[in-house]
Amino acid sequence: MPVVDRGRVAAALPGYGIGAELGSGAFGLVLAGYHQELDRRVAVKVLTSPDAAAEAGFRAEARLLSRLDHPHIVRTYDYVVRGDLCMLVMEMLSGGTLSRRALHPEAACAVGLAIADALAHAHAHGVVHRDIKPANILFSDSGQPKITDFGISKVMEGSASTASRVVGTPRYMAPEQITGDRLGPATDLYALGVVLYELFTGTRLAPAALPLPALLRHHTEVPPPPPPGVPAPLAAVLMRCLAKRPDQRHPSAHAFALDLARAATSVFGRNWLDRSGIPIHLGLDIRAVTTRRPSRLTGRRPPAGGAGPVTAGAGAVSPGRAGGSEGRIPVLVTALAVGLALVIGGGVGWAAWGRADPAPPTAPPPPAWQPVLATGTITAVFGAGSDGFSGDGGPAAQAEFDSVSDLTVDAARGVVYVADTDNHRIRRIDRAGVITTVAGNGTAGFAGDGGPATAAALDSPASVAVAPDGTLFIADKDNHRIRRVSVDGIITTIAGQDAPGFAGEVSDDGLLFAGDDLPAVNAKLDYPNTVLLTADGSLLIADGENNRIRRISPDGIISTIAGTGGSGFTGDDGPATAASFSYPCALARGPDGSLYVVDQDNYRIRRIDPAGVITTVAGTGHKGFSGDGGPATSADINTIGADVEVDAAGTVYLSDPGNSRIRRIGPDGIITTLAGTGVSEYSGNGGPALEAELVYPGGLALDAGGNLYVGDAVDGRVRAVRVR
């Protein structure tokens, strides 16, 4: 494992904060970084090998990348050498590698177009990548695919170049890379064809169990099998890419992109690219193909300068005739097997932020911020323990917060979102443990719709929810609005108006309500404090002073699912729509689809079952502390500022802020204390949670590893308790 003195890296890069390690390889590693003046997250690739050839290759990569400027190629910001320390400052791509993504067919085609367009740009600048593979295709936070790792790229001299050594990842190597023949744009197209073959079929081009010599022979001699289940137009494009001879493949990456766009449009219909869900930037000629009617694409002529479309399997040549290299392949394969066995895991190059190929793990490694704890123990994970605002771009453990109201774990991306309420921001802790602001400029107010969320004004945001695609929903409490931050960072309002209240007249008893069944953006809210996404894409809102639970359907229409609007306590064992609340302030889903509600000023936790019937599951209606070891419905709790979470077993976790405790209600209805002594202090890290002191525990979030995260609204910290 490479060892790097991070102090030296930080000293060599003034103005940058240096964070956790993101990945490593044979010649170096990649560190998270943050440019403080530009408010920019970066990845710092550090060469640690003393080998002179490695240093030359590293410098060559920097020079190559400086020549390339394309939306689907990783951006390079700086190359710095300090003594024997070489550093490449690059764009941070934290959306993971292609090897970790399962894409539907339209999305796979969109990624193929993006990579082909990027290769066309590189080839036009005389650069052949030579190691296209899923681990070298990374995604930005917004889902934009980009080629990375140009560490073994080759500058073409004239029309092509001959490799001085065999480099690449065997699973994706073109025949001419194996035989030592001349390399060119077609070399990258073969590798892209293998990548797309795997994406389209879910299987490898060559059997996974093949030893290295047999794998190399497979690439040079064995005709590729037609891709099973792939429509004929797309199969034809793939098979042409996989031809053994370079001159039988597409003449250029641009020609391939046009052919793929035509084939995909004939299969998926016009405008399929807009439905793919992949943000890509293409030339007008390629994009235009995806918007034409399929009937106009049939009977097309072959692209100029190349052979016409082929049927599945037609691109293969007979064994022993790949590139005119008859009689050489067995000797080359034997010789190459020894050398390539050293790099079979991921090629000679090493992938920034990715892991070595070929076999991706079934699950990514745990985030750096996820603690390893024994069951029942507690530790601090985020926050310096003082009120304020600081730390963006650095470790979240050293950041300052001002009233942590809500926590949301985005397990798919390995990040945590924090509603930093009195800083008027939503902050994000990435997989490496680096914290940044994703919404709010720190000034209380309302401004910024239609622009970057980081430039917008929020007012006491109290809750954040994240959709599967990374879209954020924010309860902008004191603005009486729900705001949405798209995957490209643009903020808009989806519900609420300037003034709090209702969108219609309500009688004194609160039984008549005229604010439903209209677009949510036209409705009024009154201190909405919690947002919760449901499986069908609806958004639930705890509409605090309106004493209702409201629902925004996927089509944007708002309705009430619980509460009459009157403040009080009524309705148990009846329809939730006929019940009354007194400032509902937190929501959670149970494994059976039930909705749990913290009824704050009634000092109760209530449950709405899938049939819509409401009951009390904890609390007597009296503020206090009692009842541990007995039925939760007989226990006193203090729910001012409380939160609730429910795990897959149906266990309910309740923050009991006024009692400085976290309490747990088992599926049998018995309540106990999970953490806290009842003393409002800070102590106990590393020990039993029952012996730890908590100040004012509020927001809760569970992760998949059995940890419960607890935000302390007063203490400026987030702590974790292992609950199972």
Side-chain angles (χ1 to χ4, degrees):
M1 176 66 68
V3 177
V4 168
D5 183 346
R6 297 190 191 184
R8 288 188 64 204
V9 175
L13 297 173
Y16 287 89
I18 302 300
E21 180 181 321
L22 300 178
S24 63
F27 299 142
L29 52 76
V30 181
L31 302 173
Y34 180 76
H35 194 292
Q36 295 158 353
E37 290 296 325
L38 298 179
D39 190 26
R40 173 195 287 162
R41 292 189 302 145
V42 299
V44 181
K45 191 172 182 179
V46 184
L47 177 68
T48 58
S49 171
D51 182 75
E55 182 177 348
F58 199 75
R59 187 183 307 111
E61 179 181 10
R63 290 175 176 171
L64 284 174
L65 284 171
S66 71
R67 296 162 55 178
L68 304 179
D69 183 12
H70 189 275
H72 295 294
I73 295 176
V74 63
R75 297 182 63 186
T76 299
Y77 300 126
D78 203 357
Y79 176 64
V80 178
V81 178
R82 293 289 184 272
D84 62 348
L85 197 63
C86 301
M87 294 155 291
L88 194 57
V89 182
M90 308 170 76
E91 174 184 11
M92 170 70 85
L93 298 174
S94 54
T97 67
L98 181 60
S99 60
R100 301 187 189 282
R101 294 203 171 202
L103 302 177
H104 57 80
E106 292 97 328
C109 286
V111 169
L113 285 183
I115 300 309
D117 202 55
L119 287 174
H121 177 81
H123 297 161
H125 286 76
V127 177
V128 179
H129 189 281
R130 300 199 296 176
D131 199 21
I132 295 296
K133 60 183 178 180
N136 285 343
I137 299 171
L138 277 74
F139 291 82
S140 67
D141 281 343
S142 66
Q144 183 173 327
K146 301 200 177 199
I147 301 176
T148 68
D149 204 349
F150 282 77
I152 64 168
S153 299
K154 183 77 172 179
V155 177
M156 294 180 287
E157 299 171 359
S159 61
S161 71
T162 301
S164 58
R165 60 192 177 103
V166 178
V167 292
T169 302
R171 180 170 156 190
Y172 301 96
M173 284 173 63
E176 60 268 25
Q177 285 178 281
I178 298 169
T179 60
D181 286 327
R182 292 179 70 80
L183 308 183
T187 304
D188 287 339
L189 291 183
Y190 183 92
L192 180 55
V194 179
V195 171
L196 291 176
Y197 188 100
E198 294 179 353
L199 283 180
F200 288 164
T201 67
T203 60
R204 296 190 182 193
L205 182 64
L210 285 182
L212 182 57
L215 174 63
L216 299 178
R217 185 184 297 275
H218 194 283
H219 278 299
T220 56
E221 297 183 1
V222 178
V230 177
L234 290 172
V237 175
L238 277 186
M239 298 306 289
R240 186 175 179 186
C241 267
L242 297 174
K244 302 300 181 188
R245 288 172 42 185
D247 62 359
Q248 291 184 337
R249 301 173 205 147
H250 295 82
S252 68
H254 185 259
F256 164 78
L258 284 170
D259 209 13
L260 178 62
R262 293 186 187 103
T265 305
S266 71
V267 172
F268 305 123
R270 62 189 303 196
N271 299 315
W272 66 269
L273 193 58
D274 295 331
R275 299 190 297 270
S276 70
I278 303 293
I280 66 174
H281 304 271
L282 300 172
L284 293 178
D285 58 339
I286 298 174
R287 184 170 285 277
V289 171
T290 70
T291 64
R292 297 174 188 166
R293 294 187 184 280
S295 60
R296 297 175 60 187
L297 303 173
T298 57
R300 64 187 182 277
R301 291 179 296 176
V310 295
T311 56
V317 294
S318 59
R321 299 189 60 83
S325 303
E326 303 95 325
R328 296 194 290 133
I329 294 173
V331 176
L332 283 169
V333 165
T334 302
L336 291 174
V338 176
L340 284 173
L342 300 176
V343 296
I344 185 73
V348 176
W350 50 277
W353 322 292
R355 293 184 63 181
D357 240 326
T362 56
W369 45 261
Q370 187 178 74
V372 178
L373 296 170
T375 301
T377 57
I378 189 170
T379 191
V381 286
F382 311 134
S386 55
D387 287 345
F389 173 74
S390 68
D392 268 10
Q398 299 173 17
E400 287 184 313
F401 300 97
D402 196 353
S403 187
V404 176
S405 293
D406 188 36
L407 304 166
T408 299
V409 174
D410 182 358
R413 296 168 182 82
V415 304
V416 176
Y417 291 95
V418 179
D420 193 356
T421 300
D422 288 349
N423 278 323
H424 311 290
R425 298 172 185 260
I426 301 297
R427 301 172 79 180
R428 178 183 186 268
I429 300 160
D430 67 15
R431 181 177 287 277
V434 175
I435 189 169
T436 53
T437 294
V438 294
N441 59 20
T443 301
F446 175 74
D449 271 5
T454 50
L458 308 176
D459 197 347
S460 302
S463 178
V464 59
V466 58
D469 68 351
T471 298
L472 300 181
F473 297 90
I474 301 168
D476 195 359
K477 179 169 63 73
D478 286 9
N479 277 324
H480 313 290
R481 287 176 165 91
I482 305 300
R483 305 190 60 188
R484 176 184 183 271
V485 180
S486 63
V487 293
D488 58 1
I490 302 301
I491 192 168
T492 53
T493 293
I494 64 167
Q497 299 283 312
D498 287 335
F502 305 101
E505 294 299 323
V506 179
S507 62
D508 290 340
D509 62 6
L511 297 179
L512 300 177
F513 180 60
D516 283 334
D517 304 320
L518 73 162
V521 73
N522 296 329
K524 289 185 178 180
L525 305 173
D526 202 345
Y527 293 97
N529 55 67
T530 304
V531 284
L532 177 69
L533 279 165
T534 64
D536 69 353
S538 297
L539 187 71
L540 303 183
I541 305 165
D543 194 359
E545 293 292 354
N546 278 331
N547 296 306
R548 300 172 186 271
I549 309 302
R550 301 177 79 180
R551 172 182 179 268
I552 302 175
S553 64
D555 61 2
I557 302 301
I558 194 168
S559 59
T560 292
I561 64 167
T564 64
S567 178
F569 174 72
T570 62
D572 267 7
D573 301 315
T577 50
S580 58
F581 296 94
S582 187
Y583 199 82
C585 73
L587 305 172
R589 278 286 188 192
D592 64 349
S594 295
L595 179 66
Y596 291 78
V597 182
V598 175
D599 194 355
Q600 175 178 282
D601 294 345
N602 281 321
Y603 307 107
R604 297 173 186 264
I605 306 299
R606 301 174 79 178
R607 173 180 177 265
I608 304 169
D609 70 16
V613 175
I614 190 169
T615 53
T616 292
V617 296
T620 63
H622 298 102
K623 178 174 68 174
F625 174 75
S626 69
D628 269 6
T633 50
S634 300
D636 288 341
I637 55 181
N638 189 342
T639 48
I640 306 298
D643 198 5
V644 63
E645 277 285 337
V646 186
D647 67 16
T651 299
V652 178
Y653 301 93
L654 166 68
S655 59
D656 196 347
N659 288 316
S660 299
R661 288 178 164 91
I662 305 297
R663 302 178 80 176
R664 174 167 48 191
I665 305 165
D668 58 0
I670 301 301
I671 190 170
T672 54
T673 292
L674 172 69
T677 63
V679 176
S680 182
E681 296 289 347
Y682 173 74
S683 71
N685 281 336
L690 279 170
E691 298 176 10
E693 293 173 331
L694 311 176
V695 181
Y696 199 83
L700 301 177
L702 282 163
D703 70 14
N707 296 305
L708 179 70
Y709 298 86
V710 184
D712 195 309
V714 174
D715 189 46
R717 291 183 173 93
V718 176
R719 301 172 82 176
V721 181
R722 183 67 180 265
V723 296
R724 64 177 187 276

